[in-house]
Amino acid sequence: MSESVRVRFAPSPTGHLHIGGARTAIYNWAYARHFGGTFVLRIEDTDPERSTEENTQAIIRAMEWLGLDYDEGPGVGGSYGPYFQTQRAESYAEALERLKVEGAAYPCFCTPQELDAKRESARALGGFAGYDRTCRSIDAESAAARIAAGEPHVWRLKVPEDRGDIVFPDAVRGDVTFAADVVDDLVLVRTDGTATYNFAVTVDDATMAITHVVRGDDHLSNTPKQILIYEALGEKLPVFAHLSMILGADGKRLSKRHGATSVEAYRDMGYLPEAVMNYLALLGWSLDGETTVFSRETLAENFSLDRVSRNPAIFDDEKLEWLNGVYIREMSAEQLVDRIVPVLVDASLISADEAVTRRAWLLKLAPMISERLKRLDEVVPMVAFLFSDGIEIDEASRQKVLEKEGSGVALDACRAALATIPTFDAETIEAALREVPERVGVKPKVAFQAVRVATTGSTVSPPLFESLELLGREQTLVRIDAARPLATS
Ligand code: GLU
């Protein structure tokens, strides 16, 4: 089966790419890559009110960010295009023609009011509220005459009377059964000539030769309808795989109430695409039941639908944050600098030009912060003190540290030492400062915290000696001098 696998991700561009959609895209991508198959992106833009070009672009951007490269789709092309549903009207019309010729579709002239009335009365009787097939018995000639006379009509699927229950093997859920009497003669083409959602999706999947339909289980109830359309068209059924939903930590379906749900919001919060990809892959799939950190290559190599869980997955922000921290720690200094530069530039701590000229300096900074960062955006408050001329000392830190007996004496002695050491590197700084406390009779903690608060503005900072090196001698001394009057001698 290796060459023939063709899967698709078919988002409706009615919003940005959300966590759930991204997971569907990831599984499709991984499935295609696993089998050396084809991953298709199809934009289901048939809802004119809610679909926008902006959303389409945002979805594509988010997919690119995650590294979900597709083999066919917008901007890439392919031999099964176009890849926007709004441009595929011709293939829906052709499919309808085929069904008409086969006698598998019929025009229905019932008005919306009539349909409402039928539904009401069926409901009142407690029966199935589907279409009662009134127009199915209109003979071909009178139907043609009414159409020729311009009478509004839709086209319905003529579901075989003896079709029976619709059972299909779902690759995730096992056999799924829909009772025959829950499916009526569904509308394929509306009065205005446009294809209905289920007709368009089915014709697209069939004409694009999709072999596996992997999607969210919110589409499970559409599947029997789509199967009937496949059958009427005489097309081979794809393998269906319905993914269980993603829940928030409260057990409710993940939604905006849970905070950020779009992939790009996570990007903006300082998450790495490889961490997001890894985490989302774990929401319903596991490599071996234990391994939580794996690369996209490992995912692609090992992905299979049999390891996709039928149970809903819980989206846990803390776990994602933890995983993001793991990825940050695993980066080389070069890689981390590449990732933090845009964040520093965005926060105006550094200009893009300076990021180039000060690369060596940034490379020294990277290992000092990599252990402490869980998200890239945390770098800004963590290192802001290195980029300003002077700092504000945070009041709590001042009271806690600079008001301590001996902090002034310690600052004086540390200043003197720092002013005279031959080179201003972390090692020399450390050696010079380590001998101060004993010499002036203060506790090491008092001395070092005094220097830390004076130079970084807070009791929490990256490692002190390295920070001073990056700050430079001049700025270090200026800051100690500025803080000195606040300290208790
Ligand atoms: N366009 C549908 C959606 O965004 C997906 C259809 C499908 O995967 O069959 O939910």
Side-chain angles (χ1 to χ4, degrees):
M1 99 163 158
S2 58
E3 264 129 48
S4 59
V5 164
R6 288 179 57 83
V7 290
R8 85 310 194 265
F9 176 51
S12 304
T14 53
H16 286 206
L17 182 62
H18 281 215
I19 294 300
R23 182 198 51 178
T24 301
I26 291 170
Y27 286 8
N28 276 285
W29 174 89
Y31 198 74
R33 295 295 167 259
H34 180 79
F35 288 105
T38 304
F39 176 44
V40 178
L41 174 63
R42 180 175 75 225
I43 303 293
E44 304 207 321
D45 56 348
T46 41
D47 179 345
E49 321 248 287
R50 294 168 59 226
S51 301
T52 66
E53 172 59 21
E54 204 291 293
N55 288 333
T56 299
Q57 290 313 320
I59 290 169
I60 292 176
R61 234 176 16 237
M63 286 178 70
E64 270 170 10
W65 182 72
L66 286 171
L68 298 174
D69 56 310
Y70 47 91
D71 309 298
E72 292 176 24
V76 174
S79 39
Y80 293 83
Y83 294 93
F84 287 87
Q85 281 192 327
T86 46
Q87 296 169 19
R88 297 181 63 82
E90 224 171 274
S91 65
Y92 310 142
E94 269 167 32
L96 179 64
E97 275 318 304
R98 263 163 70 193
L99 295 179
K100 285 186 203 171
V101 171
E102 298 286 321
Y106 64 91
C108 168
F109 302 94
C110 295
T111 63
Q113 293 75 10
E114 284 166 342
L115 293 172
D116 282 348
K118 286 174 197 292
R119 221 169 283 133
E120 288 287 304
S121 52
R123 254 193 220 122
L125 293 170
F128 173 54
Y131 181 57
D132 68 358
R133 299 182 165 173
T134 307
C135 292
R136 189 164 160 144
S137 52
I138 300 175
D139 64 84
E141 228 170 279
S142 10
R146 289 171 74 172
I147 292 172
E151 189 172 336
H153 60 282
V154 299
W155 285 89
R156 289 185 182 272
L157 183 70
K158 196 186 262 178
V159 177
E161 302 270 11
D162 55 355
R163 173 58 185 80
D165 291 351
I166 297 161
V167 185
F168 66 93
D170 187 285
V172 173
R173 311 167 75 95
D175 278 353
V176 179
T177 304
F178 285 89
D181 59 7
V182 303
V183 184
D184 66 352
D185 286 355
L186 56 125
V187 176
L188 304 172
V189 170
R190 302 184 188 91
T191 316
D192 64 3
T194 58
T196 56
Y197 171 73
N198 282 307
F199 190 46
V201 169
T202 309
V203 171
D204 286 346
D205 285 338
T207 54
M208 290 181 169
I210 297 302
T211 57
H212 295 72
V213 169
V214 181
R215 63 185 170 197
D217 67 0
D218 46 335
H219 289 287
L220 192 59
S221 61
N222 286 323
T223 308
K225 301 176 192 171
Q226 297 179 3
I227 288 176
L228 292 171
I229 299 172
Y230 273 102
E231 289 175 352
L233 286 168
E235 298 280 356
K236 188 168 174 278
L237 287 186
V239 172
F240 288 99
H242 288 93
L243 308 173
S244 293
M245 61 177 118
I246 300 178
L247 308 177
D250 57 359
K252 302 234 168 75
R253 195 186 185 102
L254 194 66
S255 74
K256 291 214 175 82
R257 281 179 303 111
H258 295 98
T261 52
S262 85
V263 168
E264 290 197 296
Y266 281 90
R267 177 200 64 195
D268 296 343
M269 286 189 292
Y271 286 92
L272 302 169
E274 44 277 58
V276 175
M277 172 104 168
N278 185 160
Y279 183 66
L280 294 184
L282 282 170
L283 291 181
W285 178 80
S286 72
L287 180 61
D288 52 14
E290 311 173 9
T291 313
T292 45
V293 185
F294 47 77
S295 66
R296 68 180 58 246
E297 291 76 21
T298 303
L299 170 65
E301 239 164 69
N302 294 280
F303 188 79
S304 73
L305 292 171
D306 348 314
R307 292 199 68 87
V308 173
S309 165
R310 311 162 65 137
N311 303 322
I314 308 264
F315 183 85
D316 178 351
D317 256 319
E318 270 176 38
K319 184 126 192 251
L320 170 57
E321 206 173 64
W322 167 81
L323 194 58
N324 204 55
V326 170
Y327 274 88
I328 291 178
R329 284 196 292 282
E330 280 179 357
M331 279 185 192
S332 67
E334 292 280 356
Q335 287 168 328
L336 184 55
V337 169
D338 287 342
R339 303 292 183 120
I340 61 170
V341 161
V343 182
L344 299 177
V345 170
D346 243 20
S348 305
L349 290 183
I350 194 167
S351 72
D353 288 344
E354 282 170 321
V356 176
T357 53
R358 298 180 69 185
R359 178 113 188 147
W361 184 92
L362 287 165
L363 285 171
K364 280 190 185 167
L365 176 63
M368 292 163 52
I369 54 174
S370 82
E371 292 286 324
R372 293 172 163 72
L373 284 179
K374 286 212 286 293
R375 298 196 323 254
L376 294 177
D377 62 343
E378 292 169 341
V379 73
V380 173
M382 198 176 285
V383 304
F385 73 93
L386 289 169
F387 294 90
S388 51
D389 277 335
I391 33 143
E392 280 218 14
I393 292 177
D394 136 287
E395 180 53 24
S397 304
R398 186 190 69 77
Q399 284 179 13
K400 196 165 146 218
V401 174
L402 297 184
E403 280 183 5
K404 276 233 164 75
E405 191 67 36
S407 64
V409 176
L411 278 182
D412 288 339
C414 290
R415 187 201 191 281
L418 293 171
T420 51
I421 47 179
T423 53
F424 208 72
D425 56 86
E427 215 176 301
T428 316
I429 293 169
E430 176 166 7
L433 294 189
R434 286 239 181 259
E435 61 86 30
V436 168
E438 211 188 305
R439 179 156 56 79
V440 299
V442 292
K443 289 203 184 98
K445 188 160 179 232
V446 172
F448 297 152
Q449 279 296 72
V451 176
R452 187 191 300 277
V453 168
T455 54
T456 72
S458 143
T459 52
V460 197
S461 80
L464 180 61
F465 311 122
E466 286 81 357
S467 295
L468 297 184
E469 175 182 342
L470 292 189
L471 204 51
R473 189 188 321 247
E474 194 189 323
Q475 193 50 225
T476 299
L477 299 182
V478 166
R479 290 184 186 187
I480 292 177
D481 289 343
R484 180 62 185 87
L486 306 173
T488 307
S489 293

